[in-house]
């Protein structure tokens, strides 16, 4: 099974990838790791595939690129090797129970560059875990944003995407947050009480959410406490046993 973790910088992708992999190994599973981040300097796992073998952001900055330009250029150069990485990942899948893919810290690099798109659209039944940080959830319309951004990842990458609230060990109000994330009617009611244009837009979007959103659950995760790891393993199992259909 191949699991791909995406999320913004600081969402905890790399730490979760490493800790979930250790959890799987402790439970008798064989795990391989893939690092697709050309800018990371250290990773807390031993990568079986590492794009830094071909190019790094640090090397490109020595050529005169700025940090952002170096990131974009690194994936331009990796495009020539996308078939190589795809074939190696598929080989790892045959040899392991799980292949965990850690994507760039700059999520937009993976979503908006052809390297990420080509890689994902050629995988069988690709499964993406979209990690988001609790700090993004400040107002009711933020929850609507998370739901629709999950759909946008589906649309862009052609994957099944599961939203995962990471770092739940930092939260004291998880029960209330779950209401917003899991109960569309509750979220709509709260949005309807708001007066901002953002809330009005979010309210209208929530009205069509049941029509366009696939029936997937939200994961509540913590690498520190291993919260949600059993649920994550179950989701992966269900996804691949039903060929991508989580209904």
């Amino acid at each position: 099974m191949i699991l791909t973790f995406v999320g913004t910088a600081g969402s905890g992708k790399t730490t979760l990838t490493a800790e979930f992999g250790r959890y799987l190994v402790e439970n008798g599973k064989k795990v391989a790791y893939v690092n697709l981040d050309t800018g990371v300097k250290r990773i807390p796992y031993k990568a079986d595939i590492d794009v830094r073998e071909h190019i790094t952001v640090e090397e490109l900055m020595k050529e005169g690129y700025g940090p952002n330009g170096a990131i974009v250029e690194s994936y331009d150069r990796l495009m020539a090797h996308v078939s190589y990485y795809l074939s190696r990942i598929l080989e790892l899948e045959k040899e392991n129970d799980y292949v965990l893919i850690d994507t760039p810290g700059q999520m937009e690099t993976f979503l908006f560059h052809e390297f990420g798109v080509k890689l994902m659209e050629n995988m069988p039944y690709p499964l993406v875990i979209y990690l988001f940080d609790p700090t993004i959830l400040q107002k009711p319309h933020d929850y609507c944003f998370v739901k629709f951004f999950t759909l946008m990842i589906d649309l862009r990458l052609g994957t099944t995407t599961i939203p995962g609230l990471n770092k739940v060990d930092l939260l004291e109000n998880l029960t209330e947050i779950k209401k917003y994330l899991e109960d569309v009617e509750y979220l709509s009611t709260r949005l309807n009480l708001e007066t901002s244009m953002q809330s009005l837009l979010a309210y209208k979007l929530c009205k069509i959410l049941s029509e366009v959103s696939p029936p997937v659950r939200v994961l509540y995760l913590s690498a520190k406490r291993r919260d949600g790891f059993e649920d994550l393993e179950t989701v992966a199992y269900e996804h691949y046993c039903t060929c991508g259909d989580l209904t």
Side-chain angles (χ1 to χ4, degrees):
M1 291 181 273
I2 303 173
L3 274 68
T4 303
F5 296 95
V6 304
T8 56
S11 61
K13 292 186 302 295
T14 299
T15 303
L16 187 73
T17 299
E19 192 59 32
F20 184 58
R22 282 191 283 268
Y23 162 84
L24 291 171
V25 170
E26 290 171 13
N27 284 277
K29 302 298 192 299
K30 192 173 181 181
V31 179
Y33 299 92
V34 179
N35 171 50
L36 297 182
D37 193 342
T38 57
V40 68
K41 291 189 176 181
R42 298 181 184 87
I43 50 178
Y45 52 81
K46 184 179 179 182
D48 298 86
I49 300 173
D50 195 334
V51 290
R52 296 176 300 172
E53 296 171 356
H54 274 121
I55 194 68
T56 68
V57 167
E58 189 173 5
E59 291 169 351
L60 289 170
M61 289 180 68
K62 290 177 181 178
E63 295 181 18
Y65 289 91
N68 292 329
I71 292 170
V72 174
E73 177 65 18
S74 67
Y75 291 96
D76 284 342
R77 298 190 186 187
L78 283 175
M79 271 302 296
H81 307 285
V82 67
S83 296
Y84 164 78
Y85 285 114
L86 177 63
S87 63
R88 287 196 62 192
I89 290 170
L90 295 179
E91 287 174 7
L92 284 178
E93 185 187 25
K94 295 176 183 177
E95 301 165 357
N96 296 272
D97 298 304
Y98 285 84
V99 179
L100 306 182
I101 301 179
D102 188 13
T103 59
Q106 292 74 15
M107 181 172 60
E108 65 274 15
T109 307
F110 191 72
L111 292 180
F112 298 117
H113 195 283
E114 281 300 295
F115 177 80
V117 175
K118 290 294 184 186
L119 195 65
M120 297 308 297
E121 70 182 11
N122 285 289
M123 286 187 189
Y125 314 115
L127 178 62
V128 167
I129 310 300
Y130 162 47
L131 298 179
F132 56 99
D133 192 288
T135 57
I136 195 178
L137 303 175
Q138 300 296 321
K139 298 179 181 180
H141 61 255
D142 294 327
Y143 294 84
C144 185
F145 171 82
V146 165
K147 289 176 176 292
F148 273 90
F149 197 78
T150 302
L151 288 174
M152 292 302 100
I153 296 173
D154 268 14
L155 181 62
R156 175 63 178 164
L157 298 180
T159 62
T160 295
T161 305
I162 308 295
L165 176 60
N166 201 18
K167 305 181 184 179
V168 296
D169 55 285
L170 302 177
L171 296 172
E172 297 179 354
N173 60 334
L174 183 56
T175 300
E176 181 70 8
I177 288 174
K178 284 184 176 182
K179 286 183 182 178
Y180 280 100
L181 287 172
E182 297 175 4
D183 189 339
V184 176
E185 290 301 319
Y186 179 80
L187 175 58
S188 297
T189 300
R190 296 304 299 266
L191 287 168
N192 200 30
L193 297 174
E194 301 287 322
T195 57
S196 69
M197 289 301 296
Q198 289 166 301
S199 296
L200 177 60
L201 174 59
Y203 175 76
K204 292 180 177 179
L205 288 173
C206 277
K207 289 298 183 182
I208 65 168
L209 196 59
S210 60
E211 298 178 20
V212 297
S213 180
V216 297
R217 71 196 71 177
V218 181
L219 297 171
Y220 301 94
L221 303 164
S222 167
K224 184 177 181 179
R225 299 190 314 209
R226 293 188 171 181
D227 291 358
F229 279 16
E230 288 185 11
D231 290 337
L232 177 53
E233 188 177 7
T234 298
V235 164
Y237 178 80
E238 290 176 354
H239 172 77
Y240 280 97
C241 285
T242 57
C243 300
D245 182 4
L246 287 177
T247 59

